[in-house]
Amino acid sequence: RSIAMLRRTLMRWAPPVVRGRVYEHPGAPVITLFTKDECSLCDVVKEVLRAAQPTHKHTLEEVDITAPGNEGWFERYKYDIPVLRLQGKFWIKHRLSPEDAAQGLEEAAAGAFQERPGDPNAESYPNRKPKS
């Protein structure tokens, strides 16, 4: 139990290893997409965000949860990708509608974005099997 608590604490302070910026708009809200290879839902989310870009400027960066250095993010999000964080705060998981994208980005641009409930954490799931 103490190892899991230490991992959660370190993950809060250790930024994820970013795969890279998909695109950038300086000064605009930053969206972090937690993903891994062969994630079709992640591709759909990226399409929704790209479509929103002309009217709702933002920067999109990707974090591969399977990359070295992202073990804590993998343990947290392994069952729930895609996971999106906006301005470093949990925003949404699994799917993103054009309406959700517009609303979140408008809130972030106005400095009013609040973290949404439901930030996944696979380590706390009731049926999770302990590591050997």
Side-chain angles (χ1 to χ4, degrees):
R1 181 176 166 116
S2 62
I3 291 173
M5 191 168 18
L6 177 60
R7 182 181 292 132
R8 280 192 299 277
T9 301
L10 289 174
M11 193 172 67
R12 285 188 188 133
W13 298 108
V17 176
V18 177
R19 178 189 287 177
R21 293 240 161 131
V22 178
Y23 48 82
E24 184 171 8
H25 189 83
V30 176
I31 299 170
T32 306
L33 167 63
F34 290 85
T35 185
K36 65 179 182 176
D37 288 337
E38 299 184 26
C39 173
S40 59
L41 287 176
C42 301
D43 295 336
V44 172
V45 164
K46 284 192 276 189
E47 288 175 22
V48 169
L49 290 170
R50 244 184 244 286
Q53 179 68 0
T55 55
H56 297 86
K57 300 293 182 202
H58 60 277
T59 293
L60 177 62
E61 61 185 23
E62 285 187 340
V63 172
D64 181 349
I65 63 170
T66 64
N70 287 337
E71 292 82 3
W73 293 107
F74 176 81
E75 288 301 320
R76 184 177 191 98
Y77 292 154
K78 61 186 167 186
Y79 303 128
D80 288 297
I81 61 166
V83 173
L84 293 170
R85 298 181 77 82
L86 180 54
Q87 298 297 90
K89 300 173 186 169
F90 174 72
W91 182 17
I92 202 162
K93 65 182 179 180
H94 303 159
R95 290 178 172 75
L96 179 69
S97 71
E99 297 79 17
D100 289 333
Q103 179 183 5
L105 289 166
E106 287 168 8
E107 290 173 14
F113 181 79
Q114 297 292 314
E115 184 162 12
R116 305 298 199 251
D119 191 1
N121 185 356
E123 291 186 328
S124 67
Y125 292 167
N127 293 329
R128 179 182 168 267
K129 293 183 179 175
K131 291 182 180 177
S132 305

